Amino acid sequence: MSSYQLERRTADAHGIISTHARWALGAGFIPVPIVDVAALTAINLRLLNKLAEHYEVPFSEHVGKSIISSLFGSVSGAYLGRYLVFHALKVVPIIGTLAGMASVPLASLTLTHALGRLFIQHFETGGTLLNFDAEAMRKHFLDEFEASKAHAANMQQGTSQQST
């Protein structure tokens, strides 16, 4: 594969991530706590499926769910403390819902972006879902999560600047 084809493939994969990250951002605005988590899970499962298709890697929904729960579970309270508090507050009418809507969408976007970046790297190096070692990749996922927080902040600034 030529360097242009590799660059194009990677750029297209990043486009897949961007689409799903925007959907995850939207899912974070769902005011019902269980429904937003289910939507985020479905979006991330679809992200893995689309990236697997893009890299011509076999996809298994069961394995995908396992990977997502393992990686997202590895993001400790130190990383998601605010997210979890605001997520729990969504059950409090009006004030809790508004507080949750301030934090949950960006956390959802960040998790999705980090997951996508991790899998681009995994698939680019010839990996599959079956040889993905979530335990071994947790540190790398946390690094991607940190990098994705900056991406989410930049995205939020771009959105607020466009609306003013």
Side-chain angles (χ1 to χ4, degrees):
M1 192 176 273
S2 74
S3 66
Y4 172 77
Q5 289 170 318
L6 289 173
E7 287 176 24
R8 185 75 243 154
R9 181 174 73 176
T10 302
D12 289 347
H14 281 284
I16 293 168
I17 293 172
S18 290
T19 298
H20 288 80
R22 280 190 233 103
W23 290 348
L25 180 71
F29 284 108
I30 297 172
V32 182
I34 302 301
V35 177
D36 66 346
V37 171
L40 181 62
T41 301
I43 290 164
N44 282 289
L45 195 57
R46 187 174 188 281
L47 168 65
L48 285 182
N49 185 9
K50 290 298 178 185
L51 287 173
E53 281 178 10
H54 182 68
Y55 285 97
E56 299 177 358
V57 171
F59 178 78
S60 161
E61 185 174 325
H62 176 71
V63 174
K65 284 180 184 178
S66 176
I67 288 170
I68 290 168
S69 65
S70 177
L71 288 174
F72 286 11
S74 72
V75 180
S76 70
Y79 291 96
L80 282 181
R82 270 190 23 203
Y83 168 78
L84 295 174
V85 168
F86 284 120
H87 187 268
L89 282 174
K90 279 187 173 184
V91 297
V92 177
I94 302 170
I95 293 172
T97 301
L98 292 174
M101 292 175 110
S103 177
V104 174
L106 285 178
S108 298
L109 179 146
T110 302
L111 286 167
T112 301
H113 190 263
L115 180 70
R117 286 178 48 89
L118 180 71
F119 269 89
I120 283 177
Q121 293 170 12
H122 182 66
F123 291 151
E124 287 280 342
T125 59
T128 68
L129 290 179
L130 294 177
N131 69 9
F132 183 83
D133 184 351
E135 187 68 34
M137 295 299 279
R138 281 188 178 158
K139 166 81 172 85
H140 188 60
F141 179 70
L142 294 175
D143 292 343
E144 288 296 341
F145 182 77
E146 283 301 313
S148 293
K149 286 192 329 190
H151 172 77
N154 289 338
M155 214 173 146
Q156 181 183 27
Q157 279 185 331
T159 303
S160 18
Q161 287 174 356
Q162 288 175 356
S163 63
T164 57

